[in-house]
Amino acid sequence: MIGRKVTGRKCIVAVDDSSIVLKTLEKLLGETYEYHAFTKGMRALKYLKENAVPDLIILDIDMEEIDGYEMLEMIRKKEELEQVPVIFLTSNNDRQHVMKAISGGANDYAVKPVDEESFMGKVRKLLQEDKKTLSWDDV
């Protein structure tokens, strides 16, 4: 089984039909996190079924085989994955798409092209690594 149980790092799965976007995400995430990229939704779903539960999933909306909304619905129906945070990363930035994503169970929404600082802030927040938030455990 692949995942943080083996590497000790948090695991992120990204699904986007653009290899350019996936390479950009690899540059942002690859050094800090265990990163797995998929250009096909069905391959990603197979990976999620057969491997350790990731700490975060990043989905595009517009993909050929299965779109991001369908993937999110399938992810939320699987007991092991229902609590895994999901960020939509897409070029669809109108209010209708944002509302559909959030009401479908996405935790956050980011627009392409990626604003690195903003996107990484969202990732850290969902992985509960936001350095700006202090808790009693930090004292």
Side-chain angles (χ1 to χ4, degrees), residues 12-69:
I12 297 176
V13 170
V15 188
D16 196 305
D17 56 356
S18 168
S19 58
I20 294 169
V21 170
L22 293 174
K23 293 238 184 265
T24 299
L25 291 175
E26 182 176 18
K27 288 178 186 175
L28 288 173
L29 304 168
E31 288 187 30
T32 306
Y33 306 103
E34 182 177 323
Y35 174 75
H36 300 277
F38 299 90
T39 56
K40 303 281 186 193
M42 296 305 289
R43 289 190 73 180
L45 288 171
K46 185 175 193 250
Y47 173 85
L48 291 169
K49 181 179 179 182
E50 296 174 354
N51 291 278
V53 174
D55 297 286
L56 177 66
I57 300 171
I58 301 167
L59 296 176
D60 185 15
I61 290 176
D62 296 317
M63 297 183 288
E64 293 178 20
E65 208 175 42
I66 179 173
D67 71 27
Y69 298 124

Side-chain angles (χ1 to χ4, degrees), residues 99-114:
M99 296 306 295
K100 185 174 180 180
I102 300 302
S103 67
N107 299 85
D108 211 333
Y109 196 96
V111 179
K112 298 174 190 173
V114 177

Side-chain angles (χ1 to χ4, degrees), residues 70-86:
E70 293 170 301
M71 280 199 68
L72 179 61
E73 185 178 337
M74 293 178 76
I75 288 166
R76 291 298 181 234
K77 286 182 180 176
K78 189 162 173 58
E79 187 177 339
E80 306 85 59
L81 299 173
E82 67 184 355
Q83 297 300 316
V84 174
V86 174

